[in-house]
Amino acid sequence: MTASPGLESAQLASPDLLRSVFRRHAAGVAVITARGESGPVGFTATSLSSVSAEPPMLSFGVGAGASSWPAIAATDHVGVHILGEHQRDLAATFARSGADRFGAPTVWRDGPEGVPVLDGVLAWMVCRVVARVPAGDHRIVLAEVALGDPSGQGRPLLYHQGRFTALRD
């Protein structure tokens, strides 16, 4: 066990401090999708969180300036996809600004409620948006799970220290 750092290294709150701290936090990787006015939209999210079991609800954050935000702001349903360690390239595509996220090699289909559903993921859900909460430069979306499929095979993809990585035993 290592000793806690002294208080002399503490920093005042700032965007850089928050980013630095959360680079040390390993997070699961999800892709959020929706149907927009001009076609499917989606983005990589590491902010996915379970909120409630009864009713089954989750949350995720999306930047208010993100290209996907207008569609997320207007839609009734979103797709939530849990990525496997074999999907680093897919995660990078959905994280990259200006990328053709739904072009080849991305494999997807129209799912329930018109939500784009990605193939080959560990699990997916279609969720009904119940609230969008302003939170600084982001919005927190609360969504109730309508249906899903947890039967994908493999191990989860993680995001840590600014890169996509896998679990180690």
Side-chain angles (χ1 to χ4, degrees), residues 87-101:
Q87 294 178 303
R88 290 178 184 173
D89 290 343
L90 183 67
T93 296
F94 276 83
R96 192 168 45 253
S97 181
D100 181 5
R101 297 172 178 159

Side-chain angles (χ1 to χ4, degrees), residues 80-82 109 112 117-118 121-126 147-151:
V80 177
H81 308 82
I82 308 300
R109 62 192 180 285
V117 175
L118 302 175
V121 296
L122 297 186
W124 62 267
M125 297 173 283
V126 170
L147 68 132
D149 182 356
S151 66

Side-chain angles (χ1 to χ4, degrees), residues 142-162:
L142 295 168
E144 186 172 349
V145 179
L147 68 132
D149 182 356
S151 66
Q153 300 295 307
R155 293 164 51 112
L157 182 63
L158 299 178
Y159 188 74
H160 182 249
Q161 293 287 26

Side-chain angles (χ1 to χ4, degrees), residues 50-122:
S50 172
V51 171
S52 169
E54 289 295 329
M57 293 182 76
L58 55 82
S59 70
F60 59 87
V62 56
S67 62
S68 298
W69 171 240
I72 301 295
T75 192
D76 292 332
H77 291 84
V78 294
V80 177
H81 308 82
I82 308 300
L83 300 191
E85 64 185 5
H86 63 287
Q87 294 178 303
R88 290 178 184 173
D89 290 343
L90 183 67
T93 296
F94 276 83
R96 192 168 45 253
S97 181
D100 181 5
R101 297 172 178 159
F102 290 90
T106 302
V107 181
W108 64 281
R109 62 192 180 285
D110 283 323
E113 304 294 340
V115 171
V117 175
L118 302 175
D119 284 354
V121 296
L122 297 186

